[in-house]
Amino acid sequence: MDDNEMWQAVQTCDLAEASKAVFDNYFSDRQELNQQLKELGVTRKQMSLVFKRYYDMKPAEYLIQVRIAAAKQALQAGASVFDAAADSGYTNFSSFYAHFRKLSGMPPAKYRQLFAQNISRAVMDTPIGPLRIVASQDTILCVEPANYLEKKAGQATEQVPADRIIPDDPSGDLVKACMGELKEYFAGQRQKFDLPLSPEGTSFQQNVWRKLQQIPYGETRSYQELAEMTGDKNATRAIGLANNSNPILILIPCHRVVGADGSLTGYAAGLEAKRLLLDLEKSSNK
């Protein structure tokens, strides 16, 4: 390599490192990011070619990685999903959701439940199997089969943080309260839950979940009847998907929805669990 080639190689390396530093430092501010890239003194095409040669990925791909890494840190610190998206440089929530799910294997809301430092989690043994209860400082976020998080996350069990109840914290108090009310429910001593619920989902899903809470203890409704309750009798399929996506089992009684002929349909904890819950409510409601 002659002196000229060596000088060009040094300049190319400097450009690659400088462009990477711009993405690392200005990922959250689109206007400043674009200004800093202009000040590199080369065209975007030149910069992209050099970046790809040195880091084996396109600049846009690296920028997504940087932004999602920042969003993960924000979610771990307890930020809302919306704030995590905005603070990491996203103006389009759909893009943020898609990028986050692609890189982490789970939606941002589920990642927050798994990793946030201000959220309490605990597993409770029940007649339908172990249930994990997740709560923030002011609401119940999730009640689901204990192995559901690992399956949805697509991670090895040891990579999922251990469950914990934060001492002297409202989130821990809510988890304990939920465990107490569930114990009473399974003993046939409680028909209604007195806990704040905040299932995370679309506005359509949340509407379906609100309607589920109107189905009386010990009774069932068909998917068609549930669709009529929501005001859209033609949305049976979408209603079914929303019902099956319910993140707060039992407290939001999706187990009370059955087939048109009364047959049992899918349930996150399994059909035997669904049958047990319906039999429990029927016998306790006499």
Side-chain angles (χ1 to χ4, degrees):
M1 181 182 294
D2 58 28
D3 289 346
N4 184 53
E5 290 175 328
M6 184 175 295
W7 175 243
Q8 288 181 338
V10 171
Q11 285 185 311
T12 301
C13 180
D14 288 346
L15 175 59
E17 292 179 349
S19 57
K20 181 176 180 294
V22 169
F23 293 126
D24 289 339
N25 293 316
Y26 300 101
F27 64 88
S28 63
D29 187 332
R30 289 175 177 268
Q31 184 174 350
E32 187 63 27
L33 175 66
N34 290 330
Q35 180 59 38
Q36 292 294 326
L37 290 175
K38 286 182 181 179
E39 293 182 8
L40 293 175
V42 296
T43 66
R44 285 291 184 93
K45 184 176 181 179
Q46 290 173 316
M47 183 272 292
S48 296
L49 289 172
V50 170
F51 194 97
K52 180 74 165 62
R53 183 188 309 167
Y54 271 82
Y55 299 112
D56 196 30
M57 69 177 69
K58 297 177 180 179
E61 294 171 334
Y62 180 71
L63 180 58
I64 289 173
Q65 290 187 5
V66 172
R67 284 175 169 162
I68 296 304
K72 285 182 176 180
Q73 288 186 342
L75 291 171
Q76 290 172 22
S80 69
V81 173
F82 180 83
D83 287 344
D87 292 345
S88 58
Y90 280 90
T91 56
N92 185 307
F93 187 79
S94 295
S95 295
F96 170 69
Y97 185 95
H99 293 164
F100 195 100
R101 186 156 196 161
K102 181 178 180 180
L103 292 182
S104 69
M106 70 187 87
K110 180 57 67 178
Y111 183 91
R112 181 173 180 268
Q113 290 180 14
L114 275 169
F115 294 97
Q117 298 303 308
N118 62 347
I119 286 180
S120 288
R121 302 173 295 272
V123 173
M124 172 186 181
D125 288 328
T126 77
I128 65 169
L131 294 177
R132 177 176 283 120
I133 302 164
V134 182
S136 65
Q137 293 187 333
D138 55 7
T139 187
I140 300 295
L141 297 172
C142 189
V143 175
E144 63 189 0
N147 64 351
Y148 195 66
L149 292 176
E150 288 84 346
K151 289 181 178 179
K152 295 294 285 185
Q155 301 183 30
T157 302
E158 62 269 20
Q159 292 178 294
V160 176
D163 290 311
R164 60 167 186 174
I165 293 181
I166 304 173
D168 301 320
D169 186 89
S171 65
D173 294 339
L174 274 175
V175 168
K176 293 175 184 177
C178 186
M179 294 173 72
E181 292 197 8
L182 281 171
K183 184 177 180 179
E184 293 171 353
Y185 169 83
F186 282 111
Q189 299 168 352
R190 175 175 290 274
Q191 297 187 2
K192 183 179 180 181
F193 294 93
D194 300 315
L195 296 165
L197 308 180
S198 184
E200 295 174 303
T202 66
S203 57
F204 177 82
Q205 289 174 323
Q206 290 180 5
N207 181 42
V208 173
W209 299 334
R210 283 192 295 271
K211 299 303 180 183
L212 286 172
Q213 294 176 75
Q214 296 177 11
I215 303 176
Y217 180 94
E219 298 184 18
T220 60
R221 297 290 185 271
S222 68
Y223 287 101
Q224 181 62 51
E225 289 173 322
L226 182 58
E228 292 172 357
M229 289 171 64
T230 66
D232 190 349
K233 62 181 181 181
N234 297 318
T236 305
R237 179 176 174 79
I239 293 292
L241 292 174
N243 186 71
N244 293 336
S245 299
N246 171 29
I248 304 180
L249 299 186
I250 304 177
L251 283 70
I252 298 178
C254 57
H255 61 278
R256 295 175 191 161
V257 181
V258 298
D261 59 356
S263 60
L264 300 189
T265 53
Y267 188 60
L271 292 184
E272 284 303 314
K274 186 169 186 173
R275 181 176 291 106
L276 187 151
L277 295 176
L278 292 176
D279 288 346
L280 167 67
E281 293 185 2
K282 184 177 180 180
S283 61
S284 299
N285 204 32
K286 291 181 180 179

